[in-house]
Amino acid sequence: MTRWREFRRAEPGFDCTVLGTQVHGARVLWHDGGRGWMQVDGVDGHATATAGILLTVTVADCIPVYLVAPERRAIALLHAGWRGTAGGILRTGLAMLERQAGVRADEVVMHAGVGICGACYEVGSEVVEAVGQHARGPGPWHVALRRCLLEQAGELGVRHATVSAWCSAHDRPRFYSHRASRGTDGRMVAYLGIPLVTARP
């Protein structure tokens, strides 16, 4: 908890910090307000159009997906592992922004952040099939989650999307990787928020 307090002090302009107990699912929660720490269970994505709410997810190979609608001042932050990617968390996040803030997919700027790259992410055939690809040959198979998310984004109407060049596994001296460390690394925090603006006298 000490590190979380230090993190919050380092990011002024937020009355509320949202934390989630992630379950590698596709549930996204909308936040209208709150103060202090807000801990929610069983949620892998958060969205808001309220200034002063800092959204967070923790990652150590899974992909943090940032969704921003600048004109509408609405945002979402998603934790996308293979299960979330297969389960449509990106679709759910975009639908949440549309339903709650009237945001169209073509108004959204998306960034798929630091996570494991396809070359480092060796998986079973069931994972390949789950994310909509074909497991050809005898394996081993690899999945590039950020590429899958970019393809989904295009199909959903997102026109502006970028991808981090960093890999949490082979760039492990800079980042945490659950897979590369065999479970000994901790977690990184991805965060996104609209800071409160203090009026000048």
Side-chain angles (χ1 to χ4, degrees), residues 12-93:
F14 298 96
D15 289 335
C16 177
T17 302
V18 178
L19 314 171
T21 303
Q22 297 154 195
V23 293
H24 295 273
R27 184 182 174 207
V28 179
L29 194 63
W30 182 263
H31 302 278
D32 280 319
R35 296 190 68 83
W37 300 101
M38 183 183 298
Q39 174 73 40
V40 292
D41 294 327
V43 176
D44 281 84
H46 307 281
T48 190
T50 302
I53 298 177
L54 186 64
L55 311 177
T56 73
V57 296
T58 57
V59 291
D61 281 332
C62 295
I63 311 301
V65 180
Y66 305 81
L67 303 175
V68 178
E71 297 299 321
R72 306 271 187 172
R73 291 181 61 81
I75 59 174
L77 179 62
L78 314 175
H79 166 261
W82 76 262
R83 289 181 177 86
T85 301
I89 193 168
L90 179 57
R91 180 185 298 275
T92 302

Side-chain angles (χ1 to χ4, degrees), residues 169-185:
H170 68 248
D171 294 313
R172 188 174 166 230
R174 294 175 179 265
F175 306 106
Y176 286 163
S177 170
H178 181 77
R179 177 164 290 211
S181 71
R182 299 185 179 181
T184 62
D185 273 353

